Amino acid sequence: MNFDAYARTAVDLVNAELSDLAGLRALFADDQSWMREHIIEKDLGVFRRAQRRLRDVFELGTAGRDAEAVNELNSLLETFPVQPRISGHDASDWHMHVTSRGASVSAEYLAGAVWGLSVWLCEYGSARFGICADERCGNVYLDTSSNNCRRFCSERCATRSHVAAHRARKRAANLTPA
C-alpha cells in the first residue's frame, strides 16, 4: 500500500473547498472518480467535520504538540477504522481497500486519509506537517524536503511571498532618509 498517497489525501481534504457537493466531488482524484457518483448530502457534513479535525492535527503538529496530535489521530482512527480487504476486477488487478465492502464514500476516503497521515506521523514525525507560511494561503502540506526546511505549500506561494517581501524591503528602503 502506498501510505504516502493516503497521507496526501488527508492534505487534499484539509485544503479542499467544501462549500457544496460540487466542491466535495472535485476532491476526488482520478483513481477515486467512482466516489464522485456515490456521495450523498450526508457525506458533506462528515467530510467537513473530518476536515476541521485533520486541520487541528496539522496545527498541533506544527506547534510541536505531538502528544495532542497523536491523541487526535487516534480518535480519528476510532471514528474511521481501517478494515483492509483485497479487491479487484480480474486476476491481474488485485489491490487493497481500507474499508469493508459496501462502506460509504466518507468511510472509504477518510479511513485511508487518517491511516495514511497516522503512518506518516509514525515514520517522519509531526515536524514534517506544515502550514503554508504565506499568510494569504493557509494550506497544509507534508514536508518531503531532505532537510525539513519547507515553509510553503507550493512554489507559487513561495514566489508570491518572496516577491511581496522584496517589494516591502524596497519600499522601506525608499522611505528611509539617506
Side-chain angles (χ1 to χ4, degrees):
M1 291 181 76
N2 184 348
F3 294 112
D4 286 354
Y6 279 115
R8 283 191 298 275
T9 63
V11 170
D12 293 343
L13 172 58
V14 174
N15 295 336
E17 172 57 48
L18 297 181
S19 58
D20 55 20
L21 279 176
L24 179 55
R25 284 187 183 101
L27 172 65
F28 305 122
D30 289 338
D31 59 334
Q32 301 162 326
S33 61
W34 65 271
M35 292 181 174
R36 288 185 198 119
E37 300 153 16
H38 291 87
I39 59 170
I40 57 175
E41 191 71 35
K42 179 180 146 186
D43 288 320
L44 187 57
V46 174
F47 274 91
R48 284 177 179 157
R49 285 187 296 279
Q51 181 184 50
R52 283 190 297 274
R53 292 182 69 187
L54 286 168
R55 176 168 285 285
D56 289 346
V57 170
F58 276 87
E59 290 174 358
L60 292 166
T62 58
R65 296 164 55 191
D66 289 8
E68 292 170 78
V70 167
N71 286 341
E72 184 61 19
L73 280 171
N74 279 332
S75 176
L76 283 162
L77 285 167
E78 289 177 20
T79 303
F80 304 104
V82 175
Q83 300 171 336
R85 68 180 169 86
I86 299 171
S87 182
H89 308 289
D90 59 47
S92 64
D93 184 33
W94 298 119
H95 57 278
M96 296 297 292
H97 279 262
V98 295
T99 57
S100 60
R101 179 175 224 93
S104 68
V105 169
S106 56
E108 178 89 20
Y109 187 97
L110 296 169
V114 172
W115 177 252
L117 198 57
S118 300
V119 169
W120 181 276
L121 181 135
C122 291
E123 188 163 337
Y124 303 108
S126 68
R128 294 288 184 153
F129 292 177
I131 300 175
C132 189
D134 184 342
E135 62 214 24
R136 294 165 288 187
C137 179
N139 280 345
V140 301
Y141 61 89
L142 297 169
D143 187 348
T144 57
S145 66
S146 60
N147 57 356
N148 195 23
C149 65
R150 188 170 166 188
R151 294 181 41 238
F152 299 95
C153 69
S154 66
E155 286 296 320
R156 180 175 181 244
C157 281
T159 300
R160 183 174 57 204
S161 184
H162 291 126
V163 167
H166 171 74
R167 289 180 179 158
R169 284 191 304 274
K170 229 175 156 177
R171 274 193 305 275
N174 289 339
L175 296 175
T176 305

